[in-house]
Structures are given as structure tokens and as C-alpha cells.
Amino acid sequence: MLYIIGLGLGDERDITLRGLEAVKKCSKVFIEAYTSLLSFGLSSNGLSTLENLYGKPITLADREMVEEKADDILSDARHSDVGFLVVGDPFGATTHSDLVVRAKKLGVDVKVVHNASVMNAIGICGLQLYRYGETISIPFFTETWRPDSFYEKIQRNRVLGLHTLCLLDIRVKEPSLESLCRGKKQYEPPRYMTINTAIEQLLEVEQMRGESAFCEDTDCVGFARLGSEDQMIVAGSMRQLLKVDFGAPLHCLVIVGKTHPVEEEMLDFYKLKGESAESKHNQTA
């Protein structure tokens, strides 16, 4: 059996009872480490914290392992129980759907244990989940690569009055272009996009496209470390959020569409009102 187990968003304690039972059954346990990270994922002892609670050794599965060596994981699952841990919910990233398809083609049984995901945890700001349009991803710009395909999606959402969740780039164990050209992989240091960088890139694309999908005065909500004890949620215009220090990763951003009075009432709790964002908006729930 292959168990794909959601870990939730906060720390090692956010696993469900059903998920913990599944982990304890498994002879091998992997944790996916590139589409997201737990709140302690930047610390040197993050993995051992998990191992101590779950009572199992855990293998870190980077992008290369999952995308190139998935058959090794799946072949083990033909003969024993294997656990594959995913931050958030197993289907928050399309990579894990691919793993299920490959498992089923090999005749491996799959059980999924769901958990909280950024896709529903953003509801804490008061914007109603069924009023969201298509989710977009914003990649880091480089000198030679500045993609803007997400612009049309934001534009469509805005025309329909829908909110847009923007997931921000995470670059973990990415080979540098220079090393690939030399034929010997060397990895760039990890990078996690901030809300500030995302807004700068969005405004750059708007300036280039000039179709008024959004502007500096467009209302947004910035989320940092969503689901953890020190989560931070700040609502304000793009111009205002540019000046806020959201602290450590992970960050995500919501571009606000047309709002209902009930949404506005809840959103108002997170709005900048002249005092420092650190004192007013370093909020937990």
C-alpha cells in the first residue's frame, strides 16, 4: 500500500490521527520537500522533530527523487506499506496526482489521508472560498525570463469580481544554469518569494501590459506562515503591502475581487490603519 498523507500547515503536530496511524504502519516513510514546507522546515532539526514524534526514520524526497525515481518508491509499495508525507493536502500540487496515476498503473493500492491546505486556510481572512477564481503561481523573474501568463488569469478573475490566490515561488535544490551547461549539477541556495517581491513583479507586468487588470491601489491580503502559531495576515493596497515586513516564509498573496459586506467586516480586522503592521497584524487564530 502507498499512503499519501497530508501534514497540514503548521508543525509536526498537525498530522491527523488517521495519518499518524498510517505512518506507524509503514516500513518506509518519505517526505516531499519542494512544493512547500512546514513552519519549522527551515530549521536544521526539522526532520528529526518529525522522526521523534512519528517514531520512524524519514527520507527527504526532493524533486529529482519524486519525478525521476518514483518507481523506486512505488516498487517498495508493492511488497510493503510505504508512506509519502506531503505538507498541506496531498492534492494541493499536481505532482502528487502523477504519483497516484503511476502507482495505479503498477497495480499498487493507494490510500490518501487529507489535511488542511493553503487552498482552504486562506478563508481565515474572511473572503469567502467560493468567491475565488483560478489560482495562479508567480515564479521568480530572472534577467532573461520574465513570464506573464498569469496576467490573463488575474484579469479574468477581476472581470468576474472573483478573488485570486497567488502562490509564490519556492526554489529548493534547483540546479544553476551555469552548472547544467558544464554538465555537473550544482545547486542554488534555497529561495522563497516574499509578498513584496510578488507585488513588485505584478506591478512590473501591469506596467508592461497596460490593460488595468490591477494597480497600486488594488486591495490585497498578504499571508505569512499560514497555519502556524506566528502567522501574519495583513490587508491593504498593493502600495501599502509593499512596505510591510512579513518575516520568514512561506508567503502567499490574495488579490481581492468584489466583496460582500460580510467579507468586508471580517477583512477589516486585518487592514492597515496607520499603526505599525508588526504590532497590529502579527496575528494568530
Side-chain angles (χ1 to χ4, degrees):
M1 179 77 72
L2 174 68
Y3 289 93
I4 305 181
I5 302 160
L7 294 181
L9 296 171
D11 59 29
E12 73 281 2
R13 297 166 298 167
D14 281 3
I15 193 169
T16 63
L17 285 174
R18 183 176 290 173
L20 189 56
E21 286 171 2
V23 168
K24 290 181 183 295
K25 286 180 191 173
C26 293
S27 57
K28 284 190 180 178
V29 182
F30 299 86
I31 182 167
E32 180 264 280
Y34 57 89
T35 62
S36 192
L37 74 163
L38 290 171
S39 59
F40 61 82
L42 298 172
S43 66
S44 58
N45 66 344
L47 199 59
S48 62
T49 306
L50 282 175
E51 290 177 332
N52 290 340
L53 179 66
Y54 303 157
K56 295 269 175 166
I58 297 172
T59 303
L60 206 60
D62 58 22
R63 186 187 296 274
E64 284 177 25
M65 178 182 280
V66 177
E67 294 183 352
E68 297 171 19
K69 300 176 184 173
D71 289 346
D72 294 345
I73 298 172
L74 296 175
S75 64
D76 287 334
R78 298 178 82 163
H79 311 292
S80 61
D81 291 335
V82 172
F84 188 77
L85 309 180
V86 178
V87 177
D89 185 80
F91 295 114
T94 53
T95 302
H96 311 124
S97 300
D98 178 61
L99 194 61
V100 172
V101 169
R102 289 167 80 163
K104 288 186 179 293
K105 284 181 177 176
L106 288 171
V108 174
D109 286 333
V110 179
K111 273 192 181 176
V112 175
V113 183
H114 293 286
N115 209 319
S117 160
V118 64
M119 307 294 282
N120 62 350
I122 51 169
I124 190 173
C125 74
L127 297 175
Q128 294 162 3
L129 293 178
Y130 53 78
R131 294 288 302 157
Y132 278 78
E134 187 172 354
T135 296
I136 66 155
S137 297
I138 302 178
F140 277 112
F141 285 178
T142 69
E143 287 182 19
T144 56
W145 189 64
R146 304 175 98 73
D148 61 359
S149 58
F150 52 76
Y151 185 84
E152 286 89 355
K153 296 175 184 179
I154 299 172
Q155 198 170 36
R156 283 198 299 271
N157 289 345
R158 301 273 295 160
V159 167
L160 295 169
L162 302 175
H163 316 307
T164 306
L165 170 60
C166 308
L167 300 176
L168 311 187
D169 202 1
I170 298 172
R171 296 185 66 80
V172 179
K173 205 177 178 186
E174 295 282 347
S176 67
L177 189 59
E178 188 182 342
S179 74
L180 288 175
C181 293
R182 288 202 309 263
K184 185 180 179 183
K185 279 186 184 176
Q186 286 185 316
Y187 299 103
E188 298 173 345
R191 295 173 68 201
Y192 307 94
M193 186 181 287
T194 63
I195 288 159
N196 318 75
T197 298
I199 291 173
E200 286 169 1
Q201 292 188 181
L202 284 166
L203 291 173
E204 179 185 320
V205 170
E206 176 55 64
Q207 189 172 22
M208 187 174 62
R209 300 288 289 263
E211 296 171 33
S212 302
F214 47 83
C215 65
E216 285 188 338
D217 295 319
T218 299
D219 286 330
C220 292
V221 186
F223 301 82
R225 301 169 302 284
L226 188 57
S228 65
E229 291 293 328
D230 69 338
Q231 71 180 9
M232 186 172 175
I233 303 165
V234 185
S237 67
M238 285 190 175
R239 184 190 292 109
Q240 289 175 312
L241 296 192
L242 269 175
K243 299 172 184 173
V244 176
D245 179 2
F246 284 90
L250 290 172
H251 295 184
C252 66
L253 178 72
V254 169
I255 301 171
V256 179
K258 189 176 179 181
T259 51
H260 184 277
V262 175
E263 290 179 300
E264 288 167 18
E265 194 172 13
M266 181 84 168
L267 204 56
D268 196 51
F269 288 114
Y270 300 104
K271 280 190 176 168
L272 287 165
K273 297 183 176 71
E275 52 192 296
S276 86
E278 284 299 317
S279 62
K280 172 68 178 172
H281 292 280
N282 199 356
Q283 301 190 29
T284 62

